[in-house]
Amino acid sequence: MPIGITPSKFMNQILLSLMSICLFACTGQIDEAQVTSTPTVKQAAVAMPDSYSADIAKDILQKGGNAIDAAIAAQFVLAVTLPEAGNIGGGGFMLVYKDKKSDFIDYREQAPLSAHRDMYLDENGEVIPYQSVIGILSSGVPGTVAGMWLAHKKHGSLSWKELVQPAVDLAEQGFKVHPKLAKSIERHIQRLEQRGFEVNFKDYFVGAKANEVFQQLELAGTLKRIRDQGRDGFYKGQTAKIISDFMRKEKGLVTEQDLLSYEAKSRQPLNAKWREYQLLTSPPPSSGGIAILQWLKMYDLLTRDQEKLSHNSAAYLHLLAEIGKRVFADRAEYLGDPDFIEVPVDSLIADEYIAIRSQSILRDKISVTEWVKPGLQESEETTHFSVMDKWGNAVSNTTTINLGFGSGVVVEGAGFLLNNEMDDFSSKPGVANVFGAVGGQANEIQPKKRMLSSMTPSIVLKDGNVSMVTGSPGGTTIISSVYLSILNALEFSMNAEDVVNKPRFHHQLLPKDVIRYHDGFDPTVISELEKMGYTMNHRRFGDIQVILNKDGKMDAASEANGRGKSIVF
């Protein structure tokens, strides 16, 4: 039987035993032997998806706030100025490195208490089109406010009110709408109308016109309650009543009890050695951290003692695509909410497993997709930002309501968009979600369960000091954007502008043999890959926000295709 396809029971036993000898610790603790004391970092930097969040984050840092303070303030600002992804109606992950210690704040949405495995299937057991994507039934219980509250309690230094107030001001007084945002809103309204979806998105956003001031008074009221009452200003009291009353009226699932019982969680980040670096990245229920570790380690193993591959050559793209098939096969089989299933993290990133998994990779042709099995037995309008303060603390935060503008449903009276994260569960084993990602029992719907995510906020350390802060939106393409940004910076020694703007590509197990790619690739590379049998799909994805630290000198960049802003000061 070929290695890397379905293993025998004997092979499974061998692989499972590797957990006890795994070479890569998956704790949030940093190896003290690798930590060096350095003088206070002179510069700070932010890389944000829009100018409002960048300016506010800079202002918070200049007031003496730390990276976590700046991240919290930016998160609430984005709920106002980046409605397609910034949110208080969704969730996300915040990776923190502060005072040489790491933390991972999981504020991913949860399935409501009344949710069940077959809720999106018809009487014939088939998936009901769009029900998990558009409308009130697509929303999980929001986690953002709880996540920011937990981050502030553990790591904040400025007052909570001071961090929320800028968002209140922007919602109440209004902000000037960027032309790209105006166009995005206009297109979304057209799509909803063309497909006959009856949601209230247009009622709230039709007035957002390019270069005009746009106010959101209901949202301002909600933010004021959050400012004054903290976590309870969202999950209890008036806001909770507004949400639950609206859900009952529209026949949604989120109740007062769902809101009251939601908890953000502090988890240990994945922490693995890669080359001379330590990589801090996202643990389950993110699939991204395991995926990028597998990708980077297989890349190193397969290129060791060989001539370095040219950046974005056909051989480079093909090798990473072959690795991607195996990464996504494992993702579909093993990954889910660690509070509900046992995720074999150590085994999936162990050196021995990586070596076995790599043996079936073909260098000169495409592996047969149907033969690539698990080895052991996410529009993409998420958003990401990166922050580093003058003390060397860093935050990598990815937040989402899933597709652009989420469910398309605004909570009447509260003014914020609801997520459509229920689509990130497996509605039916083997059936792909909107991002083409398949799943199985590990990611089936259960009450209070967190849906699997591709969000992968990551921080790279060298000698215990932050070397790189990176992350991106983009559904399943997040994983590609993040590992490619790391390779761009550390394998190909690019500066921040090149890291975020060099053309990228993405391949996953399904759709079969499809490579999605940006503008800017050499046409001969595209032709070579097509001759190999790949279907080349020209389509943008991602919006990387990166900070590089080169001996205390900051270099930050926001991807030029977006409307982001980076500042070093």
Side-chain angles (χ1 to χ4, degrees):
M1 181 192 68
I3 295 175
I5 315 299
T6 305
S8 64
K9 291 182 179 178
F10 175 71
M11 182 60 74
N12 281 329
Q13 291 170 353
I14 292 175
L15 292 169
L16 289 172
S17 72
L18 294 174
M19 293 179 70
S20 64
I21 59 170
C22 175
L23 299 180
F24 295 93
C26 295
T27 71
Q29 302 304 311
I30 307 304
D31 184 354
E32 291 183 5
Q34 293 188 350
V35 175
T36 60
S37 60
T38 58
T40 301
V41 175
K42 299 293 185 183
Q43 293 181 308
V46 300
M48 293 281 162
D50 81 349
S51 62
Y52 296 100
S53 56
D55 292 341
I56 293 299
K58 177 185 176 184
D59 183 54
I60 293 295
L61 291 172
Q62 290 185 321
K63 286 181 178 178
N66 62 28
I68 297 85
D69 294 321
I72 293 167
Q75 174 74 55
F76 284 113
V77 165
L78 290 168
V80 180
T81 63
L82 200 92
E84 65 268 47
N87 67 84
I88 55 172
F93 300 136
M94 179 185 285
L95 178 61
V96 175
Y97 188 63
K98 180 173 177 280
D99 300 331
K100 306 294 186 184
K101 295 179 181 178
S102 61
D103 191 15
F104 184 81
I105 306 294
D106 172 2
Y107 58 101
R108 182 69 161 148
E109 303 90 334
Q110 287 182 336
L113 290 165
S114 57
H116 59 89
R117 184 191 65 185
D118 300 329
M119 62 183 288
Y120 298 119
L121 305 183
D122 62 20
E123 62 273 12
N124 298 317
E126 300 300 324
V127 175
I128 301 169
Y130 298 111
Q131 197 171 80
S132 66
V133 178
I134 295 292
I136 199 76
L137 289 176
S138 65
S139 180
V141 182
T144 295
V145 176
M148 297 305 103
W149 184 251
L150 179 59
H152 185 257
K153 282 179 62 180
K154 294 191 71 178
H155 306 294
S157 62
L158 299 185
S159 73
W160 175 259
K161 288 186 177 182
E162 191 172 0
L163 302 181
V164 182
Q165 186 62 45
V168 173
D169 293 340
L170 285 163
E172 189 168 49
Q173 299 169 19
F175 69 97
K176 187 177 288 188
V177 176
H178 193 288
K180 287 185 178 180
L181 172 57
K183 190 172 182 179
S184 181
I185 289 171
E186 184 180 344
R187 284 198 305 263
H188 194 62
I189 290 172
Q190 290 173 353
R191 282 194 298 266
L192 291 171
E193 291 179 341
Q194 288 168 359
R195 296 174 183 176
F197 294 122
E198 297 181 1
V199 292
N200 64 358
F201 178 82
K202 181 178 180 179
D203 298 340
Y204 280 82
F205 288 97
V206 71
K209 304 298 183 183
N211 298 315
E212 294 183 8
V213 174
F214 179 58
Q215 294 174 288
Q216 299 169 82
L217 298 182
E218 287 184 5
L219 178 58
T222 301
L223 288 167
K224 286 178 181 177
R225 291 187 289 274
I226 294 168
R227 177 197 64 192
D228 297 338
Q229 302 166 39
R231 184 190 189 284
D232 290 349
F234 187 86
Y235 295 94
K236 294 180 181 179
Q238 184 178 348
T239 303
K241 186 177 189 305
I242 290 171
I243 296 168
S244 55
D245 286 351
F246 179 71
M247 283 282 175
R248 274 191 291 271
K249 180 171 78 77
E250 299 297 325
K251 298 181 172 56
L253 299 181
V254 178
T255 66
E256 294 97 325
Q257 187 57 40
D258 285 308
L259 294 166
L260 194 62
S261 63
Y262 181 86
E263 289 184 9
K265 297 197 173 186
S266 177
R267 302 188 190 274
Q268 288 186 329
L270 298 188
N271 172 15
K273 183 173 170 54
W274 179 69
R275 300 182 179 178
E276 68 270 33
Y277 302 97
Q278 276 184 284
L279 179 59
L280 298 178
T281 188
S282 306
S286 170
S287 64
I290 291 171
I292 66 169
L293 285 170
Q294 288 185 323
W295 232 309
L296 291 171
K297 290 179 182 180
M298 277 192 251
Y299 173 82
D300 269 9
L301 186 64
L302 292 163
T303 58
R304 185 177 298 162
D305 301 324
Q306 296 185 22
E307 185 178 349
K308 186 174 179 178
L309 292 171
S310 298
H311 184 258
N312 281 350
S313 63
Y316 178 74
L317 268 68
H318 170 65
L319 176 63
L320 291 172
E322 280 283 289
I323 296 171
K325 286 185 186 300
R326 287 140 185 88
V327 169
F328 273 87
D330 283 352
R331 180 190 192 275
E333 182 71 12
Y334 302 119
L335 303 187
D337 186 344
D339 295 335
F340 283 75
I341 65 163
E342 186 173 346
V343 182
V345 176
D346 289 2
S347 294
L348 288 168
I349 62 173
D351 264 0
E352 291 85 348
Y353 179 66
I354 295 298
I356 291 169
R357 204 73 171 119
S358 300
Q359 288 182 29
S360 65
I361 287 176
L362 304 175
R363 304 299 288 264
D364 56 351
K365 60 182 178 179
I366 303 171
S367 296
V368 178
T369 299
E370 290 77 10
W371 290 357
V372 179
K373 304 296 183 184
L376 288 178
Q377 285 295 327
E378 314 89 88
S379 145
E380 305 146 342
E381 292 293 349
T382 300
T383 193
H384 176 87
F385 57 80
S386 299
V387 184
M388 193 167 173
D389 64 30
K390 65 182 179 181
W391 299 287
N393 304 315
V395 169
S396 178
N397 187 86
T398 311
T399 185
T400 187
I401 46 177
N402 202 21
L403 298 182
F405 306 104
S407 64
V409 177
V410 178
V411 177
E412 293 174 1
F416 65 87
L417 278 159
L418 289 165
N419 66 82
N420 59 350
E421 292 293 356
M422 294 297 287
D423 187 64
D424 275 356
F425 281 117
S426 298
S427 296
K428 182 179 179 180
V431 176
N433 69 1
V434 73
F435 297 116
V438 295
Q441 186 176 357
N443 192 39
E444 70 181 14
I445 301 169
Q446 293 181 51
K448 295 198 74 173
K449 189 176 186 180
R450 284 161 156 84
M451 56 292 289
L452 188 63
S453 173
S454 296
M455 292 184 289
T456 318
S458 298
I459 295 172
V460 180
L461 307 177
K462 187 174 183 181
D463 299 327
N465 301 304
V466 175
S467 179
M468 181 179 188
V469 187
T470 185
S472 176
T476 52
T477 70
I478 290 172
I479 301 168
S480 295
S481 291
V482 173
Y483 86 76
L484 288 172
S485 74
I486 294 171
L487 286 176
N488 283 353
L490 305 180
E491 170 78 341
F492 297 99
S493 303
M494 295 182 191
N495 62 25
E497 286 290 339
D498 285 342
V499 166
V500 302
N501 290 320
K502 285 292 184 183
R504 300 192 301 280
F505 61 95
H506 172 76
H507 176 71
Q508 58 192 56
L509 191 65
L510 295 172
K512 182 179 177 181
D513 301 336
V514 172
I515 290 180
R516 184 169 163 182
Y517 68 98
H518 289 184
D519 277 332
F521 281 95
D522 187 331
T524 60
V525 169
I526 304 302
S527 178
E528 285 181 58
L529 292 166
E530 287 174 335
K531 288 176 182 176
M532 290 183 72
Y534 286 108
T535 299
M536 303 302 291
N537 179 9
H538 175 224
R539 186 180 168 196
R540 285 206 64 85
F541 58 87
D543 186 25
I544 297 177
Q545 310 292 328
V546 72
I547 298 171
L548 303 180
N549 176 16
K550 299 180 179 180
D551 300 320
K553 185 176 182 181
M554 298 297 132
D555 185 16
S558 299
E559 193 168 330
N561 188 64
R563 57 182 199 266
K565 180 178 179 180
S566 61
I567 314 172
V568 174
F569 53 98

